[in-house]
Amino acid sequence: MSGNNNKLSVLISGGGTGGHIFPALSIANEIKRRVPQANILFVGAEGRMEMERVPAAGYEIKGLPVVGFDRKHLWRNFKVLYQLKKSMTMARAILDEFQPNVAVGVGGYASGPMLRECQRHDIPTLLQEQNSYAGVANKLLAKKAKYICVAYDGMERYFPAEKIVLTGNPVRRSLLECEATVEEARKAFDLDPDKRTILIVGGSLGARTINDSIIAGLRTIGKHESEVQVIWQSGRIYDERCREALISSQVANIKQMPFISNMDLAYRAADLVVSRAGASSISELQLLGKASLLIPSPNVAEDHQTKNAMALVSRNAALMIPDKDAGFKLVDVMLSTIGEERVLHMLSENVSKMALRDSAEKIVDKVLQIAK
């Protein structure tokens, strides 16, 4: 093998949100499991979440000053173009130093300049597209990629059909290996082990609409204290506001926190999950067979979360409320659904059938194949 010291060297680039970072870390962990002596280097965007999460998982990361295009204020893009040019130069230097055998792009800002540079130097590249709607970076890089690993059918709308491999999205292994019973999981959150439980998550950064809707409906949720309880992950930026609202409402059947580190237990505890419709969240719901009520984020490229959610809704595998309707619908729909055993069972059964298993293993099969 080329690369440093004849060892396998893999460069993984992308990030911006948990939806890009968690699959990237799953891929890295699977490479390490199979090739323990492999060198793995991450390349992310400066100031984004990956710069914290990747080192915490034990991997080295380098940051590029790349930022996204400002579609609303086009005049601001002079700076964006300057950052992009600077990122390309830095990407070249990273490449010269690290000399990977193969590069993996998981989408997000940094993957564009880094993977582009790899392709210009004939380093084989593999792309992982998490969404049902392809991201800009991956669409631009697809032509020269060896493989494009996807999680949805019909992706030949965006990519050359002969390069597409249907693998699903890798999720955190810890979620799939949880051994706690439902009762034990609820007790871990100081909840009643026998009461119906709703888990509310707003993605890795929190979701304003979901939080505002819950704050507005706190007293309504409190009135159902005898039959339902709630685990509420508000995200760090909304933590103080949500905590204060909960305290002043004096509602007792809600456990609120900025971030849930033991998501395996949170999922296990839940009968119903209220969530954004990011690709990672949807893959987790499918693999764990969880009934869900999805509120797609409107603040994403090409409204791809609505497309992700509709892929489930069209198969009776989830319920959906548009973001603009959540304020007056979310709490009522959530509370009526949690009481409907038949509906919960149907959603759980149907979403489970959509799961694509062993995704990280399938992706790494291809990574090792092209690294040879």
Side-chain angles (χ1 to χ4, degrees), residues 200-231:
I200 299 169
V201 282
S204 47
L205 305 170
R208 176 183 294 163
T209 305
I210 294 177
N211 289 330
D212 286 350
S213 306
I214 299 303
I215 288 172
L218 283 172
R219 289 195 167 78
T220 310
I221 297 169
K223 285 178 193 157
H224 291 73
E225 195 175 340
S226 58
E227 66 265 21
V228 66
Q229 57 197 355
V230 175
I231 302 169

Side-chain angles (χ1 to χ4, degrees), residues 100-262:
N101 306 101
V102 58
V104 178
V106 293
Y109 302 142
S111 68
M114 194 65 242
L115 271 279
R116 178 82 193 279
E117 207 50 48
C118 290
Q119 290 180 345
R120 282 179 57 191
H121 288 80
D122 297 326
I123 288 156
T125 55
L126 174 143
L127 306 177
Q128 201 247 329
E129 176 53 66
Q130 296 95 13
N131 291 293
S132 59
Y133 185 93
V136 177
N138 281 346
K139 280 197 273 196
L140 293 172
L141 295 163
K143 199 172 159 204
K144 291 190 171 175
K146 295 276 188 202
Y147 290 112
I148 301 144
C149 296
V150 302
Y152 292 90
D153 290 319
M155 296 302 283
E156 47 286 335
R157 290 196 304 267
Y158 311 110
F159 303 129
E162 68 281 2
K163 296 183 179 188
I164 294 175
V165 190
L166 185 64
T167 58
N169 288 322
V171 307
R172 295 166 274 183
R173 199 174 265 270
S174 61
L175 298 181
L176 306 176
E177 291 173 351
C178 179
E179 291 182 355
T181 63
V182 175
E183 293 75 17
E184 286 165 349
R186 288 175 184 164
K187 281 180 185 164
F189 290 95
D190 292 328
L191 293 170
D192 183 329
D194 302 317
K195 212 180 269 185
R196 287 274 168 92
T197 304
I198 300 171
L199 169 64
I200 299 169
V201 282
S204 47
L205 305 170
R208 176 183 294 163
T209 305
I210 294 177
N211 289 330
D212 286 350
S213 306
I214 299 303
I215 288 172
L218 283 172
R219 289 195 167 78
T220 310
I221 297 169
K223 285 178 193 157
H224 291 73
E225 195 175 340
S226 58
E227 66 265 21
V228 66
Q229 57 197 355
V230 175
I231 302 169
W232 177 19
Q233 176 183 289
S234 57
R236 290 203 181 91
I237 31 182
Y238 306 108
D239 177 43
E240 199 175 328
R241 202 168 134 251
C242 295
R243 192 172 61 239
E244 284 170 4
L246 184 58
I247 291 166
S248 67
S249 74
Q250 298 185 318
V251 170
N253 57 333
I254 299 179
K255 284 275 180 289
Q256 179 269 335
M257 59 209 76
F259 184 75
I260 300 173
S261 49
N262 46 351

Side-chain angles (χ1 to χ4, degrees), residues 130-133 150-155 157-158 166 169 276-279 281-283 285-286 292 294-296 303-321 346-347 349-356:
Q130 296 95 13
N131 291 293
S132 59
Y133 185 93
V150 302
Y152 292 90
D153 290 319
M155 296 302 283
R157 290 196 304 267
Y158 311 110
L166 185 64
N169 288 322
R276 286 299 199 195
S281 303
I282 285 189
S283 297
L285 295 167
Q286 289 170 336
S292 66
L294 302 171
I295 297 94
D303 196 25
H304 69 248
Q305 286 204 3
T306 299
K307 297 177 176 83
N308 290 350
M310 284 309 298
L312 272 62
V313 173
S314 64
R315 298 187 192 189
N316 289 329
L319 303 175
M320 182 183 97
I321 297 175
M346 173 194 75
L347 294 174
E349 288 268 284
N350 290 343
V351 81
S352 217
K353 288 175 193 158
M354 294 180 73
L356 294 166

Side-chain angles (χ1 to χ4, degrees), residues 11-17 20-21 24 42-45 48 50-51 54 61-62 104-112 114-115:
L11 190 145
I12 301 177
S13 183
T17 64
H20 294 303
I21 297 160
F42 280 78
V43 178
R48 302 294 297 213
E50 57 267 25
M51 302 309 291
V54 169
I61 185 165
K62 292 189 186 296
V104 178
V106 293
Y109 302 142
S111 68
M114 194 65 242
L115 271 279

